[in-house]
Amino acid sequence: MMNLNALKIDPEFQGKIPPLTFEELNQLEANILRDGRIINPIIVWQGLIVDGHNRYTIAKKHPEIPFTVHEKEFASRYEAIIWICKNQLGRRNLTPEQKKFLMGKQYSSEKRTEAFRGNQHTAKKSGSVQSEHNQKPMKTCERIAQENHSSASSVRRAEYYAHGVDVADELSPGFRDRFFREKLHIPDYLLENLGKAKPEEQAEI
């Protein structure tokens, strides 16, 4: 069994995972203690946890409880974030706010990985590849929308929304957790506008 001290929490990865309410966390702990083991593995990439942050916390609290670790391989941090978002979006208990945040983060990360691949291609080939690359974000957007029974325009707005949540968390540390855990009712357009705003305008919104 891998040593828990060998695992690390990455704040950027953890920030993509909707937090459990205190009741849900207590219920998870009670279930684990009842079962006498942590059934689902803690999933890691290069020692960083990509899924199972709550299970990790409970395992540290109860070192006698057995657990397993599953290693995954990703080409980059963005690939890991895409996997985290898709994995979370596959769960049924998401609020509309959590789903929108995850779609926005997945879209943003996929665009970055495509831009990186596009730069590799253009280093080898001529501008025709670049014109194809310029259309890729739209295709990505439509695919994510289809996967989540949404629309392409909703996915594009979700990117601003997710960025707005992050900006609000920078302006008021702990906002992201409170927003998702306590279900703060903030209109979508306010967070989207915050995500679109220039840095010097953000504090005024």
Side-chain angles (χ1 to χ4, degrees), residues 52-72:
H53 293 82
N54 296 309
R55 298 191 290 282
Y56 169 76
T57 301
I58 293 166
K60 288 198 85 169
K61 188 176 174 183
H62 301 281
E64 76 283 1
I65 297 280
F67 66 93
T68 55
V69 173
H70 177 67
E71 285 265 3
K72 287 194 79 71

Side-chain angles (χ1 to χ4, degrees), residues 21-41:
T21 64
F22 295 113
E23 292 80 10
E24 288 168 336
L25 191 58
N26 288 337
Q27 187 60 58
L28 176 63
E29 184 175 6
N31 292 347
I32 286 170
L33 291 173
R34 183 198 64 211
D35 295 335
R37 65 192 181 100
I38 296 174
I39 295 170
N40 293 322

Side-chain angles (χ1 to χ4, degrees), residues 46-129:
Q46 296 184 352
L48 301 173
I49 299 171
V50 293
D51 186 63
H53 293 82
N54 296 309
R55 298 191 290 282
Y56 169 76
T57 301
I58 293 166
K60 288 198 85 169
K61 188 176 174 183
H62 301 281
E64 76 283 1
I65 297 280
F67 66 93
T68 55
V69 173
H70 177 67
E71 285 265 3
K72 287 194 79 71
E73 287 297 324
F74 300 110
S76 67
R77 288 182 64 84
Y78 293 123
E79 295 275 2
I81 290 170
I82 292 164
W83 183 89
I84 291 168
C85 293
K86 285 185 171 184
N87 186 49
Q88 293 297 319
L89 283 164
R91 297 179 174 176
R92 295 182 184 180
N93 60 342
L94 296 175
T95 64
E97 293 82 7
Q98 290 168 343
K99 184 172 180 179
K100 190 167 185 174
F101 177 80
L102 288 165
M103 283 199 306
K105 284 297 173 186
Q106 181 183 340
Y107 181 43
S108 176
S109 295
E110 290 211 25
K111 285 203 301 184
R112 291 187 184 203
T113 58
E114 284 176 358
F116 175 70
R117 290 188 197 120
N119 290 339
Q120 286 185 319
H121 282 305
T122 49
K124 298 173 186 173
K125 297 186 179 181
S126 65
S128 62
V129 174

Side-chain angles (χ1 to χ4, degrees), residues 193-203 205:
N193 288 344
L194 187 59
K196 290 177 189 175
K198 295 174 182 173
E200 61 271 19
E201 302 168 341
Q202 289 167 349
I205 293 178

Side-chain angles (χ1 to χ4, degrees), residues 155-197:
V155 173
R156 285 194 293 272
R157 287 199 307 274
E159 183 179 21
Y160 290 122
Y161 178 88
H163 184 53
V165 172
D166 284 349
V167 171
D169 193 65
E170 287 171 19
L171 295 172
S172 175
F175 168 84
R176 191 192 298 113
D177 253 21
R178 291 197 310 277
F179 178 62
F180 290 127
R181 184 176 279 138
E182 299 170 20
K183 299 181 174 67
L184 304 179
H185 296 294
I186 297 173
D188 289 6
Y189 75 87
L190 282 179
L191 289 167
E192 288 170 22
N193 288 344
L194 187 59
K196 290 177 189 175

